Amino acid sequence: MTKLRAGLLALVLAVTAAWLGVMPSSAADSAPITRYDVDVVLDPDGVANVTLDFTMDFSVVRGRGPYILLPTLQEDGANPDENYVFDYSNIEVESPSGASAAVLLERDNDILSIRIGSENIWNESPQDYTVSYDVTGLIATDHPQSGLDEFNWDVIGRAWESDFSNISVSVTGPVAPEQVACFYGPDVTTPCEAELTGDTATYSLDSLSAGTTMQVVAGYPVGTFPGVEQEKARRVTLSNSFELTPGTGIVTGAGLIAAIAGLVAIRRRHARDDVYLGLTPGLTPTGGEQGRVGPKQGRFPVAVQFHPPKGATPGEIGTLMDTTADNIDVSATIVDLAVRGYLKIHSQSKSDFTLEALHRPGGRLEPYEDKLLADLFQGRTIRSSTELKKAKFAEVLPHARDGLYASVVQKGWFKGNPATAQMVPIVLGALAIGGGVLLTFIGASVGWGLIGIPLAVFGIGLMIMSGKFRKRTATGSAYLAQAKGFELYLRTAEKETLQFEEGEDIFSKYLPYAMVFGVADRWSKLFADLGAQGIYQADTSWYVGADLLHGYYFASAMNNLTHSMSSAMQAARVDGMSQSTGGSSGFSGFSGGGGFGGGGGGSW
């Protein structure tokens, strides 16, 4: 037999210290036991009637009384998947010397705690105590190595915090034992005194230091304890917590099927855009008709469109395309406002630019555009990129994004704020994952750790699918089709196929849309070539920077401008945030190494 695992005993000490409100760290913190007499009577049915009669010397260490820790489970070193089970009953305590014998019993995991004494009564002299109890599980019948019915017990476990002296143990069984043994020490292999007189085996030891085990063994003829078997319980380990059995396999498999079916059903019902049924993509009902609406089925064909959707700004189209109001949508809005005459952009270098407010040319601004201009200039007429990186501009991007979301909802392209709609499945998914982890943790204690996996898979699926909940309305889908058609035009148009409009500079007018579609480079180079050939001169008075006649430099400058705008406002956002914020092996006890039981204790 081997000793109790050191990790178990360390846990015992930590739990006990927390429970008692003290932390005994050495024998000097616990009153010594100057006399320890133990009497054990073994019944034929395997019950050990234990009586502890001892003296604890509180003149050395002042204390309220003793506490005793008894293990209810102990690892089988020969079979790591099982624990031995010890059952205690008929616990009685008294103090012949008149000390408080009040008892508090607590069970915590695999430990039974017996605390003796009263909170407000302190002892400063030696006190006598008698503790009796019955326990089962200490007898291994017909042991395969010794060929005996073995009573194998750690009478003192290594979790004791007290020093012992004058130790005597007597064990009386139904018949005389054939063999007795006693061991002690750090590895429980040093022999101690063991004698046999009639039906009683006696063991003695002069002293034992704290944290050291004493083991007593008595071997009886096979059949002395008829029908007695040591009770065992399945020990939950990492290997068997998630063991695949017919039961766990069926339940987990059924759960996974249900989770996948649920995700498919949710996607079909809540994560597909609405469209107008029976109408060509891009068209909406006319003449006051409502039109039939249903979920989108598959992809719709894209037809080239030479103009952006009517009444839709570049920022709104960018938000509609990917259901997200991001930095590029805000940058495109600033360029669009410059093209329309509300400001002028001065580009000094790759990362530096200046915005100049101009007199309003008239015309209607969307609420988010008006707010963006106010947030950028804040009563000034000039703003540099260096200034825009400061904390006072931290809300420029959030306000612009919120405004874009509000605008696309107001236009009827989404039923609700896309960002908010996405948060619902994210939150539900996180709750499902948490529930799955909790279910796994609970199930693992009985070997059913797999049953939490389906719920966690369902939660992960919801979170992955959350972007799909940014669901477009039928009107939003129609505008999306128009936007994709216009994107196709900007991506494929050549100088021979450009559709010029008299009196309008289509380069500047469409450039913000090219930015949100990701084709600003192509669009700029196309018109730079036209300018270099003298075919078409774009009006870029809204922009002061690279020469239009040098297509590569101009296109590169436009690309740098987009990134530098986003970087400046994101830097302000970051700056603003920073400012606001022991066991038996199954071997014979006659080889030493520790036995069953043991536990620990001390004074409190």
Side-chain angles (χ1 to χ4, degrees), residues 395-411:
E395 297 304 314
V396 172
L397 276 176
H399 285 169
R401 291 173 183 148
D402 291 344
L404 281 169
Y405 284 130
S407 186
V408 294
V409 172
Q410 191 274 330
K411 290 180 181 294

PDB file of all heavy atoms in Angstrom, residues 395-411:
ATOM      1  N   GLU A 395     -14.648  60.851 -30.674  1.00  0.00           N
ATOM      2  CA  GLU A 395     -16.000  60.424 -31.010  1.00  0.00           C
ATOM      3  C   GLU A 395     -16.379  60.671 -32.465  1.00  0.00           C
ATOM      4  O   GLU A 395     -17.525  60.443 -32.854  1.00  0.00           O
ATOM      5  CB  GLU A 395     -17.005  61.127 -30.088  1.00  0.00           C
ATOM      6  CG  GLU A 395     -16.854  60.775 -28.613  1.00  0.00           C
ATOM      7  CD  GLU A 395     -16.940  59.289 -28.378  1.00  0.00           C
ATOM      8  OE1 GLU A 395     -17.855  58.647 -28.942  1.00  0.00           O
ATOM      9  OE2 GLU A 395     -16.085  58.749 -27.649  1.00  0.00           O
ATOM     10  N   VAL A 396     -15.435  61.157 -33.271  1.00  0.00           N
ATOM     11  CA  VAL A 396     -15.754  61.416 -34.679  1.00  0.00           C
ATOM     12  C   VAL A 396     -16.203  60.137 -35.382  1.00  0.00           C
ATOM     13  O   VAL A 396     -17.256  60.087 -36.030  1.00  0.00           O
ATOM     14  CB  VAL A 396     -14.551  62.044 -35.407  1.00  0.00           C
ATOM     15  CG1 VAL A 396     -14.825  62.128 -36.915  1.00  0.00           C
ATOM     16  CG2 VAL A 396     -14.266  63.433 -34.860  1.00  0.00           C
ATOM     17  N   LEU A 397     -15.382  59.090 -35.272  1.00  0.00           N
ATOM     18  CA  LEU A 397     -15.725  57.825 -35.934  1.00  0.00           C
ATOM     19  C   LEU A 397     -16.981  57.185 -35.353  1.00  0.00           C
ATOM     20  O   LEU A 397     -17.876  56.786 -36.115  1.00  0.00           O
ATOM     21  CB  LEU A 397     -14.548  56.852 -35.834  1.00  0.00           C
ATOM     22  CG  LEU A 397     -13.456  56.998 -36.893  1.00  0.00           C
ATOM     23  CD1 LEU A 397     -12.312  56.043 -36.613  1.00  0.00           C
ATOM     24  CD2 LEU A 397     -14.002  56.762 -38.289  1.00  0.00           C
ATOM     25  N   PRO A 398     -17.094  57.036 -34.026  1.00  0.00           N
ATOM     26  CA  PRO A 398     -18.323  56.427 -33.491  1.00  0.00           C
ATOM     27  C   PRO A 398     -19.593  57.180 -33.885  1.00  0.00           C
ATOM     28  O   PRO A 398     -20.599  56.555 -34.235  1.00  0.00           O
ATOM     29  CB  PRO A 398     -18.104  56.464 -31.976  1.00  0.00           C
ATOM     30  CG  PRO A 398     -16.629  56.483 -31.800  1.00  0.00           C
ATOM     31  CD  PRO A 398     -16.106  57.282 -32.947  1.00  0.00           C
ATOM     32  N   HIS A 399     -19.549  58.515 -33.832  1.00  0.00           N
ATOM     33  CA  HIS A 399     -20.744  59.286 -34.214  1.00  0.00           C
ATOM     34  C   HIS A 399     -21.082  59.072 -35.684  1.00  0.00           C
ATOM     35  O   HIS A 399     -22.263  58.924 -36.047  1.00  0.00           O
ATOM     36  CB  HIS A 399     -20.503  60.776 -33.945  1.00  0.00           C
ATOM     37  CG  HIS A 399     -20.558  61.135 -32.492  1.00  0.00           C
ATOM     38  ND1 HIS A 399     -20.154  62.360 -32.010  1.00  0.00           N
ATOM     39  CD2 HIS A 399     -20.942  60.423 -31.408  1.00  0.00           C
ATOM     40  CE1 HIS A 399     -20.309  62.398 -30.689  1.00  0.00           C
ATOM     41  NE2 HIS A 399     -20.777  61.221 -30.303  1.00  0.00           N
ATOM     42  N   ALA A 400     -20.038  59.054 -36.540  1.00  0.00           N
ATOM     43  CA  ALA A 400     -20.283  58.867 -37.970  1.00  0.00           C
ATOM     44  C   ALA A 400     -20.863  57.482 -38.255  1.00  0.00           C
ATOM     45  O   ALA A 400     -21.795  57.334 -39.059  1.00  0.00           O
ATOM     46  CB  ALA A 400     -18.995  59.080 -38.748  1.00  0.00           C
ATOM     47  N   ARG A 401     -20.322  56.461 -37.600  1.00  0.00           N
ATOM     48  CA  ARG A 401     -20.834  55.103 -37.809  1.00  0.00           C
ATOM     49  C   ARG A 401     -22.272  54.986 -37.327  1.00  0.00           C
ATOM     50  O   ARG A 401     -23.124  54.399 -38.015  1.00  0.00           O
ATOM     51  CB  ARG A 401     -19.952  54.099 -37.068  1.00  0.00           C
ATOM     52  CG  ARG A 401     -18.559  53.943 -37.645  1.00  0.00           C
ATOM     53  CD  ARG A 401     -17.722  53.058 -36.744  1.00  0.00           C
ATOM     54  NE  ARG A 401     -16.357  52.927 -37.198  1.00  0.00           N
ATOM     55  CZ  ARG A 401     -15.314  52.760 -36.400  1.00  0.00           C
ATOM     56  NH1 ARG A 401     -15.498  52.712 -35.082  1.00  0.00           N
ATOM     57  NH2 ARG A 401     -14.092  52.643 -36.875  1.00  0.00           N
ATOM     58  N   ASP A 402     -22.530  55.514 -36.136  1.00  0.00           N
ATOM     59  CA  ASP A 402     -23.902  55.467 -35.619  1.00  0.00           C
ATOM     60  C   ASP A 402     -24.855  56.178 -36.566  1.00  0.00           C
ATOM     61  O   ASP A 402     -25.991  55.716 -36.784  1.00  0.00           O
ATOM     62  CB  ASP A 402     -23.960  56.113 -34.229  1.00  0.00           C
ATOM     63  CG  ASP A 402     -23.247  55.285 -33.168  1.00  0.00           C
ATOM     64  OD1 ASP A 402     -22.980  54.097 -33.437  1.00  0.00           O
ATOM     65  OD2 ASP A 402     -22.961  55.833 -32.077  1.00  0.00           O
ATOM     66  N   GLY A 403     -24.400  57.313 -37.117  1.00  0.00           N
ATOM     67  CA  GLY A 403     -25.249  58.051 -38.049  1.00  0.00           C
ATOM     68  C   GLY A 403     -25.535  57.270 -39.315  1.00  0.00           C
ATOM     69  O   GLY A 403     -26.651  57.304 -39.845  1.00  0.00           O
ATOM     70  N   LEU A 404     -24.520  56.565 -39.823  1.00  0.00           N
ATOM     71  CA  LEU A 404     -24.727  55.740 -41.014  1.00  0.00           C
ATOM     72  C   LEU A 404     -25.719  54.615 -40.740  1.00  0.00           C
ATOM     73  O   LEU A 404     -26.596  54.329 -41.570  1.00  0.00           O
ATOM     74  CB  LEU A 404     -23.389  55.168 -41.492  1.00  0.00           C
ATOM     75  CG  LEU A 404     -22.491  56.132 -42.278  1.00  0.00           C
ATOM     76  CD1 LEU A 404     -21.095  55.548 -42.451  1.00  0.00           C
ATOM     77  CD2 LEU A 404     -23.104  56.435 -43.650  1.00  0.00           C
ATOM     78  N   TYR A 405     -25.575  53.966 -39.585  1.00  0.00           N
ATOM     79  CA  TYR A 405     -26.533  52.911 -39.244  1.00  0.00           C
ATOM     80  C   TYR A 405     -27.950  53.467 -39.153  1.00  0.00           C
ATOM     81  O   TYR A 405     -28.901  52.862 -39.665  1.00  0.00           O
ATOM     82  CB  TYR A 405     -26.136  52.255 -37.913  1.00  0.00           C
ATOM     83  CG  TYR A 405     -24.981  51.298 -37.997  1.00  0.00           C
ATOM     84  CD1 TYR A 405     -23.906  51.394 -37.117  1.00  0.00           C
ATOM     85  CD2 TYR A 405     -24.957  50.281 -38.941  1.00  0.00           C
ATOM     86  CE1 TYR A 405     -22.838  50.501 -37.182  1.00  0.00           C
ATOM     87  CE2 TYR A 405     -23.904  49.386 -39.022  1.00  0.00           C
ATOM     88  CZ  TYR A 405     -22.840  49.509 -38.139  1.00  0.00           C
ATOM     89  OH  TYR A 405     -21.789  48.620 -38.215  1.00  0.00           O
ATOM     90  N   ALA A 406     -28.100  54.610 -38.514  1.00  0.00           N
ATOM     91  CA  ALA A 406     -29.430  55.214 -38.388  1.00  0.00           C
ATOM     92  C   ALA A 406     -29.998  55.582 -39.754  1.00  0.00           C
ATOM     93  O   ALA A 406     -31.193  55.427 -40.005  1.00  0.00           O
ATOM     94  CB  ALA A 406     -29.348  56.455 -37.499  1.00  0.00           C
ATOM     95  N   SER A 407     -29.120  56.023 -40.641  1.00  0.00           N
ATOM     96  CA  SER A 407     -29.582  56.450 -41.966  1.00  0.00           C
ATOM     97  C   SER A 407     -30.086  55.270 -42.794  1.00  0.00           C
ATOM     98  O   SER A 407     -31.138  55.356 -43.438  1.00  0.00           O
ATOM     99  CB  SER A 407     -28.445  57.163 -42.703  1.00  0.00           C
ATOM    100  OG  SER A 407     -28.901  57.696 -43.923  1.00  0.00           O
ATOM    101  N   VAL A 408     -29.349  54.132 -42.785  1.00  0.00           N
ATOM    102  CA  VAL A 408     -29.783  52.996 -43.607  1.00  0.00           C
ATOM    103  C   VAL A 408     -31.057  52.366 -43.037  1.00  0.00           C
ATOM    104  O   VAL A 408     -31.857  51.774 -43.778  1.00  0.00           O
ATOM    105  CB  VAL A 408     -28.664  51.947 -43.740  1.00  0.00           C
ATOM    106  CG1 VAL A 408     -27.484  52.509 -44.512  1.00  0.00           C
ATOM    107  CG2 VAL A 408     -28.209  51.422 -42.378  1.00  0.00           C
ATOM    108  N   VAL A 409     -31.248  52.483 -41.720  1.00  0.00           N
ATOM    109  CA  VAL A 409     -32.502  51.998 -41.130  1.00  0.00           C
ATOM    110  C   VAL A 409     -33.643  52.936 -41.510  1.00  0.00           C
ATOM    111  O   VAL A 409     -34.744  52.500 -41.862  1.00  0.00           O
ATOM    112  CB  VAL A 409     -32.373  51.889 -39.592  1.00  0.00           C
ATOM    113  CG1 VAL A 409     -33.734  51.565 -38.958  1.00  0.00           C
ATOM    114  CG2 VAL A 409     -31.361  50.814 -39.212  1.00  0.00           C
ATOM    115  N   GLN A 410     -33.379  54.262 -41.455  1.00  0.00           N
ATOM    116  CA  GLN A 410     -34.412  55.241 -41.805  1.00  0.00           C
ATOM    117  C   GLN A 410     -34.836  55.106 -43.263  1.00  0.00           C
ATOM    118  O   GLN A 410     -36.005  55.306 -43.603  1.00  0.00           O
ATOM    119  CB  GLN A 410     -33.877  56.650 -41.521  1.00  0.00           C
ATOM    120  CG  GLN A 410     -34.922  57.760 -41.595  1.00  0.00           C
ATOM    121  CD  GLN A 410     -35.103  58.291 -43.012  1.00  0.00           C
ATOM    122  OE1 GLN A 410     -34.174  58.278 -43.817  1.00  0.00           O
ATOM    123  NE2 GLN A 410     -36.318  58.751 -43.306  1.00  0.00           N
ATOM    124  N   LYS A 411     -33.923  54.725 -44.130  1.00  0.00           N
ATOM    125  CA  LYS A 411     -34.254  54.536 -45.546  1.00  0.00           C
ATOM    126  C   LYS A 411     -34.989  53.221 -45.787  1.00  0.00           C
ATOM    127  O   LYS A 411     -35.411  52.951 -46.916  1.00  0.00           O
ATOM    128  CB  LYS A 411     -32.981  54.589 -46.394  1.00  0.00           C
ATOM    129  CG  LYS A 411     -32.362  55.980 -46.490  1.00  0.00           C
ATOM    130  CD  LYS A 411     -31.103  55.940 -47.342  1.00  0.00           C
ATOM    131  CE  LYS A 411     -30.458  57.327 -47.411  1.00  0.00           C
ATOM    132  NZ  LYS A 411     -31.275  58.317 -48.127  1.00  0.00           N
TER     133      LYS A 411
END
